[in-house]
Amino acid sequence: MVMVAAAAVLLALAAVATEVAAAGTTYTVGAPDGLWDMQTDYAQWVKSKTFRPGDTITFTYSPELHDVVEVTRAGYDACSSANNISAFRTGNDAVPLTAVGTRYFLCGLTGHCGNGMKIRVDVVAAAASPSAPGPAAAAAAPPTTSSPCNVGVVAASLLLLLLHAVVSY
């Protein structure tokens, strides 16, 4: 009976560890030095990031002053929110990056995009296998949330402790 219960717990913990490891990173657009505003250099901000499917970008701003509109490349190039893909207006908008490709966002208020309030997000495929980060990755600013890898390590450690307890029983 104890062995069955221990096996069930092990399976549950393994499932949680797998799900957490597959979760992406959440980036707050413009952080840590800015937010979704007219002072942040978004072209510079994205240079230090590598976006992958499963990641999320969060736009934080005052909804009385700004909005977020996802547009096509043509809309991005023209600073036009006409025929937009989607619009966000809460002031704390989380946008999941679900697939490889380029996404374009801008502030739809008159004059804001023309003054630099737009961002191009290139989502690239996940690496086939983990490898050591290069110098550019090491110098990049950390994301604004904790890494899911830490949770996976904790879950794996718990699995080992539980397994040791079962074997010792």
Side-chain angles (χ1 to χ4, degrees), residues 17-107:
T18 301
E19 184 176 324
V20 168
T25 301
T26 297
Y27 297 93
T28 299
V29 174
D33 301 323
L35 297 173
W36 187 236
D37 56 36
M38 292 181 27
Q39 288 75 41
T40 302
D41 182 346
Y42 299 106
Q44 187 65 35
W45 183 80
V46 296
K47 284 182 183 178
S48 66
K49 311 290 183 273
T50 302
F51 301 102
R52 303 205 185 279
D55 289 349
T56 300
I57 54 174
T58 300
F59 293 87
T60 304
Y61 58 94
S62 171
E64 293 82 24
L65 301 176
H66 305 293
D67 64 8
V68 178
V69 182
E70 183 170 6
V71 296
T72 63
R73 180 176 178 173
Y76 179 84
D77 290 342
C79 276
S80 172
S81 60
N83 302 318
N84 66 62
I85 296 169
S86 57
F88 307 93
R89 294 185 174 86
T90 70
N92 190 28
D93 305 312
V95 179
L97 304 175
T98 58
V100 171
T102 302
R103 309 270 300 267
Y104 303 93
F105 301 91
L106 54 82
C107 181

